């Protein structure tokens, strides 16, 4: 079974909830998983796992989380060839074009790090609801399937 690491950034707790749902889904499917807050994580930690997940929030008008800027920069410089990644996070549709922009920016950073996309980015409006939980369970299943190839 693959190993996974879920890294999250949160202000309101919504993205910690997203990370918790993802972590629980991995556990339910028998995957060894660790979860950590972004200031406690190092991009190098992704080299010890098969599946890399980031759950960022989008701040204000499309900004990355302040506490995740160094992590984001390091991610773009890393070589995560052979690793499967996924990005899921919450935002607020109030911000229209900037809705969940950090999710997509972290996805781009994983691409620069030569990681393999395991599932489409997941955008969640505010806090995750029942439909979002199903979407996140499907997200995790796709990541596991991709890592098994």
């Amino acid at each position: 079974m693959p190993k996974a690491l879920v890294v999250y950034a949160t202000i309101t707790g919504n993205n910690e909830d997203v990370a918790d749902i993802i972590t629980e889904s991995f556990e339910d499917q028998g995957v060894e998983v660790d979860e950590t807050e972004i200031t406690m994580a190092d991009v190098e930690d992704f080299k010890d796992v098969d599946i890399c997940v980031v759950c960022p929030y989008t701040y204000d008008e499309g900004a990355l989380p302040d506490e995740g800027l160094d992590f984001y920069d390091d991610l773009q410089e890393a070589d995560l060839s052979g690793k499967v990644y996924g990005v899921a996070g919450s935002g607020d549709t109030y911000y229209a074009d900037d809705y969940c922009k950090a999710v997509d920016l972290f996805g781009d950073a994983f691409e620069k790090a030569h990681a393999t996309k395991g599932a489409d980015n997941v955008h969640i409006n505010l806090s995750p609801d029942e439909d979002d939980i199903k979407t996140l369970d499907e997200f995790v299943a796709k990541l596991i399937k991709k890592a098994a190839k």
Side-chain angles (χ1 to χ4, degrees):
M1 259 305 173
K3 290 176 63 176
L5 174 61
V6 179
V7 176
Y8 69 90
T10 194
I11 291 178
T12 61
N14 291 342
N15 276 313
E16 185 172 7
D17 291 346
V18 171
D20 290 347
I21 292 164
I22 291 170
T23 298
E24 186 175 315
S25 187
F26 275 127
E27 290 171 344
D28 289 348
Q29 296 186 55
V31 173
E32 183 182 334
V33 59
D34 288 317
E35 178 181 322
T36 189
E37 198 275 329
I38 202 163
T39 61
M40 303 302 291
D42 189 302
V43 170
E44 292 294 310
D45 297 339
F46 282 144
K47 293 186 177 180
D48 298 329
V49 299
D50 306 293
I51 303 170
C52 314
V53 178
V54 173
C55 302
Y57 63 88
T58 303
Y59 185 70
D60 196 27
E61 295 178 356
L64 292 167
D66 282 343
E67 68 274 24
L69 292 175
D70 289 340
F71 190 89
Y72 175 78
D73 290 341
D74 291 346
L75 181 57
Q76 293 183 88
E77 301 296 321
D79 181 4
L80 296 177
S81 300
K83 306 297 179 183
V84 171
Y85 81 87
V87 186
S90 71
D92 188 336
T93 55
Y94 169 82
Y95 291 103
D97 290 344
D98 293 323
Y99 170 63
C100 286
K101 193 171 185 180
V103 170
D104 297 330
L105 290 171
F106 268 96
D108 293 345
F110 272 116
E111 291 288 323
K112 287 181 183 172
H114 309 291
T116 301
K117 187 174 192 171
D120 289 338
N121 296 344
V122 176
H123 300 152
I124 294 172
N125 186 42
L126 303 174
S127 63
D129 61 20
E130 288 301 315
D131 288 338
D132 295 322
I133 292 170
K134 290 176 189 167
T135 299
L136 291 170
D137 285 342
E138 292 168 6
F139 169 81
V140 168
K142 288 177 183 174
L143 293 173
I144 293 168
K145 185 176 180 181
K146 188 70 169 185
K149 289 186 177 178

